[in-house]
Amino acid sequence: MEPTYSDIYMLLQREPVAKQYFDTLPDYVREQIRTRPNGVNSFASLKDYAENLTRGDG
């Protein structure tokens, strides 16, 4: 089972792969994620939320 953290900041600090993924996201997606830091507590939730935000881009 994937580890969960208290918020996005702890996730990014503890999971280098999540940090690397987060850094590749568009600025507006990163800003949106930062508005609800407690809602993103695992790499899976980060990916799901980012995919929802970018759906329709391109």
Side-chain angles (χ1 to χ4, degrees), residues 27-38:
D27 289 342
Y28 79 93
V29 174
R30 286 183 284 164
E31 287 304 313
Q32 193 68 30
I33 291 169
R34 286 184 187 117
T35 66
R36 55 181 293 247
N38 295 333

Side-chain angles (χ1 to χ4, degrees), residues 3 10-11 21 26 31 36 38 40 43-44 47 51-53:
M10 188 63 69
L11 169 66
Y21 176 78
E31 287 304 313
R36 55 181 293 247
N38 295 333
V40 179
F43 189 30
K47 289 192 295 188
E51 287 170 10
N52 287 337
L53 291 171

